[in-house]
Amino acid sequence: MRISVNCDTYLTFIIELRKELEVVWDKINEKYKNIKEPNTIGFAFRCLPDEIGRKTFRRFDKDDAYLTLDIATSYEKYKKMYKTEIRHDLGHTFYNYLEDSLKKYKFKEIDSKELLSDIKNWCNEIGWLEEEVDYSKDLDYPE
């Protein structure tokens, strides 16, 4: 199994935050590399204007063993937030959506609790998935 991440955004902060997660994806890709199903978990982080109407969705393609988790967030909401607030919100949004998705699609080869625990621990190592927003850093606005 490997993690793949794509961004579709009007805010450069989303791209910067995605890059922060690369160390986590690398650890997942190494530890879980022998899992065949899903072969890939593909995240898409989309921060788009509300008027577009893009909705969050998930799907599993059995032929390719590819789990797609397409997460839509509001540009209007995020453009008013500090970078640290976006990190907090996006982190919990992606983690909770992954957790819900692993409940929906029960993959025989994955110990979901272990995977989620690993992700939470590795994210916490880089300041993601904290309980509270850390207002001591990244007080930049998107615009």
Side-chain angles (χ1 to χ4, degrees):
M1 180 182 81
R2 69 181 189 85
I3 298 289
S4 168
V5 182
N6 183 23
C7 286
D8 182 9
T9 181
Y10 280 54
L11 294 177
T12 57
F13 280 172
I14 303 299
I15 295 167
E16 292 170 21
L17 293 171
R18 182 196 65 80
K19 288 180 182 178
E20 290 179 7
L21 287 169
E22 286 179 7
V23 66
V24 175
W25 307 144
D26 290 345
K27 289 179 180 184
I28 294 168
N29 291 343
E30 179 58 32
K31 181 173 180 179
Y32 295 94
K33 65 184 173 190
N34 294 322
I35 290 180
K36 304 277 188 270
E37 187 174 290
N39 178 44
T40 304
I41 299 177
F43 286 97
F45 295 143
R46 302 188 192 279
C47 182
L48 303 169
D50 293 336
E51 68 188 31
I52 291 174
R54 182 72 180 218
K55 301 289 184 204
T56 295
F57 72 90
R58 67 181 136 229
R59 81 170 158 255
F60 179 64
D61 181 325
K62 290 182 183 182
D63 293 335
D64 294 327
Y66 195 104
L67 177 60
T68 299
L69 302 177
D70 195 301
I71 299 168
T73 60
S74 169
Y75 168 75
E76 286 80 5
K77 174 183 170 183
Y78 277 11
K79 76 176 184 178
K80 298 175 187 172
M81 297 169 77
Y82 291 121
K83 185 176 181 181
T84 193
E85 293 171 323
I86 297 170
R87 179 186 295 111
H88 184 268
D89 188 77
L90 184 61
H92 286 277
T93 299
F94 103 78
Y95 182 85
N96 292 335
Y97 199 60
L98 175 61
E99 184 177 36
D100 289 345
S101 299
L102 292 175
K103 288 177 186 172
K104 178 178 172 75
Y105 302 104
K106 299 185 186 316
F107 299 106
K108 295 175 186 171
E109 294 182 65
I110 294 180
D111 179 339
S112 295
K113 288 182 182 181
E114 180 181 358
L115 174 62
L116 291 166
S117 176
D118 284 341
I119 290 172
K120 184 174 266 189
N121 290 335
W122 294 330
C123 281
N124 282 326
E125 288 174 6
I126 62 167
W128 279 69
L129 295 180
E130 295 174 343
E131 293 298 317
E132 300 289 328
V133 175
D134 183 355
Y135 286 102
S136 69
K137 60 182 179 185
D138 296 328
L139 294 180
D140 301 322
Y141 277 114
E143 297 180 340

